[in-house]
Amino acid sequence: MLSAVRNFFGRGEGLTPTPSPTAQPKVQDVKAEDYATPQKYLDGAEIPSYYQFQSNMVADEDLKPGMCRNVDVDKRLTVPTRTHLRFLVTATDVIHSWAVPSLGIKADGTPGRVNRVNCFIQREGVFYGQCSELCGSLHGFMPICIEAVSPELYAAHAKKWYKD
């Protein structure tokens, strides 16, 4: 039977042999400093992503008229409308749930995994969300604020933030 399969697929020519089970794996020294920790990000270390920024909830004493308490942030995520968007969601400490109900998005951020969420926003506006899982003592204070603007306005915004 095996010879018939080999004849069918070209007599086994060009096939690479499988490594023997006694082959030693490649060993590499890894330091604890090489791993990402939340404290490194707070100290301003480089976050390995395409676009990075830190957004914090606006305190009660800093709220201006028209701002929403516990969901408005000091730096909104600005995205263009009428464009296919892809959000990559992950976590570094515990399981979070990145949820923006008005966009129909809810994705779990799990340490060591990357979840992809596709989105297409048709209208301009501000969309609010929060972490919707019990992930720790400050769970209720993890707001998400997405501002959708026209592609023309986004291009002007992107020139300011993207240097490349």
Side-chain angles (χ1 to χ4, degrees):
M1 174 72 180
L2 186 58
S3 63
V5 173
R6 284 188 182 155
N7 288 336
F8 181 75
F9 287 109
R11 301 188 190 282
E13 297 160 359
L15 297 178
T16 57
T18 58
S20 67
T22 60
Q24 293 294 326
K26 195 178 207 181
V27 178
Q28 178 181 351
D29 290 333
V30 177
K31 299 176 189 168
E33 300 91 45
D34 296 339
Y35 289 100
T37 61
Q39 187 59 39
K40 285 184 182 179
Y41 295 149
L42 293 175
D43 293 339
E46 184 178 339
I47 299 174
S49 65
Y50 295 104
Y51 178 59
Q52 62 185 13
F53 69 95
Q54 185 165 341
S55 180
N56 298 309
M57 184 173 64
V58 176
D60 288 341
E61 57 269 6
D62 296 332
L63 284 173
K64 295 177 182 159
M67 295 177 89
C68 299
R69 183 177 176 269
N70 282 349
V71 292
D72 233 320
V73 295
D74 58 354
K75 196 173 198 182
R76 293 176 174 169
L77 174 62
T78 305
V79 297
T81 57
R82 302 182 305 275
T83 304
H84 292 278
L85 303 171
R86 177 174 50 198
F87 296 106
L88 300 176
V89 181
T90 189
T92 58
D93 47 2
V94 296
I95 297 174
H96 295 280
S97 186
W98 197 80
V100 183
S102 54
L103 293 178
I105 296 175
K106 182 175 180 183
D108 288 335
T110 308
R113 300 196 70 175
V114 177
N115 289 327
R116 181 178 71 185
V117 178
N118 295 317
C119 182
F120 187 86
I121 302 175
Q122 296 182 356
R123 64 179 176 87
E124 296 180 20
V126 179
F127 303 93
Y128 295 102
Q130 279 184 297
C131 178
S132 60
E133 297 288 337
L134 295 177
C135 55
S137 61
L138 297 175
H139 158 74
F141 304 102
M142 295 182 192
I144 299 165
C145 188
I146 298 175
E147 183 175 5
V149 297
S150 68
E152 298 79 22
L153 188 61
Y154 179 76
H157 171 78
K159 282 183 185 175
K160 184 172 85 172
W161 291 103
Y162 296 111
K163 304 296 182 205
D164 304 315

